Amino acid sequence: MLVVGLALAATVAVIAVGVCLGRIPVVKPGRAGWCVAGGASLLTLWIGCSLAWSITADVSWDWLNRTLVYLGFVVLGAVLAGFRHGRQAVVAVLTLVVAAVVGWALLGVVVPSLAAVGVRIGRLSEPVGYWNGLALLASTALVLGVAIASSRRVGGLLLAYGAIIVLLMTQSRGGLVVGVVMLALWLRWSAQRL
């Protein structure tokens, strides 16, 4: 997490300099963008304030660092979305990341030596380390896979199928509910349906 955070901090600093010099366009977010940025900022602020009353300050610092990285990814995504083909690039990168997570999770089932060493439990949790987190990524992969499959691409079908398998193997009820809701919302508002 430290390497990702430092790389992201350097990237956000370069973006800030580019915006100040007029080399990078300033994004004008809509209502949804303000809600995401505001929610991420408020969450980060709340976790930072919780350091005042936390009985385990080291854990609170870890969470503050983690949410600062998340906030940096929000800024990076907003800047990339401001470019001509930025939205497609953000979706493509997100799809590659969740496809890699789903693929690694399935590979860890087939080749158990790739999974983390330790106590083996019935729920699939690797490579994330927490089955609910893996289930949320699998739900995202499911919707992205269905969106890709709607343009008659086999890769999208494989991603959706792998995401369903991973989602079921995590045994996460919350992840399953989130996946169904995300899929229903996509089917409701998408112009491309199967």
Side-chain angles (χ1 to χ4, degrees):
M1 187 65 134
L2 177 65
V3 174
V4 173
L6 290 175
L8 189 63
T11 304
V12 170
V14 168
I15 289 170
V17 169
V19 167
C20 291
L21 294 176
R23 304 277 187 210
I24 296 177
V26 178
V27 179
K28 307 249 189 293
R31 186 171 46 166
W34 283 113
C35 287
V36 168
S41 300
L42 287 174
L43 176 65
T44 305
L45 181 65
W46 178 257
I47 291 174
C49 290
S50 75
L51 288 170
W53 63 79
S54 176
I55 60 173
T56 55
D58 56 336
V59 175
S60 297
W61 270 111
D62 288 344
W63 277 102
L64 179 62
N65 290 334
R66 185 174 293 140
T67 54
L68 283 170
V69 170
Y70 296 159
L71 188 60
F73 275 113
V74 168
V75 169
L76 183 61
V79 168
L80 288 176
F83 289 107
R84 184 174 173 180
H85 297 290
R87 290 182 185 178
Q88 291 88 353
V90 169
V91 170
V93 168
L94 181 63
T95 303
L96 286 174
V97 167
V98 296
V101 168
V102 165
W104 189 262
L106 290 173
L107 195 60
V109 171
V110 175
V111 183
S113 63
L114 294 176
V117 177
V119 179
R120 302 288 298 176
I121 57 173
R123 292 179 158 188
L124 182 62
S125 62
E126 293 303 325
V128 177
Y130 180 51
W131 56 82
N132 284 330
L134 180 59
L136 292 176
L137 287 174
S139 297
T140 304
L142 173 62
V143 174
L144 290 170
V146 170
I148 294 168
S150 67
S151 357
R152 307 268 191 259
R153 295 189 185 150
V154 176
L157 258 159
L158 291 173
L159 178 59
Y161 180 72
I164 289 171
I165 299 298
V166 169
L167 187 58
L168 293 175
M169 290 183 75
T170 61
Q171 300 176 14
S172 171
R173 295 177 300 272
L176 189 60
V177 169
V178 167
V180 168
V181 168
M182 287 173 65
L183 196 56
L185 289 174
W186 183 84
L187 288 172
R188 168 68 177 95
W189 281 304
S190 176
Q192 298 176 320
R193 295 189 182 136
L194 295 175

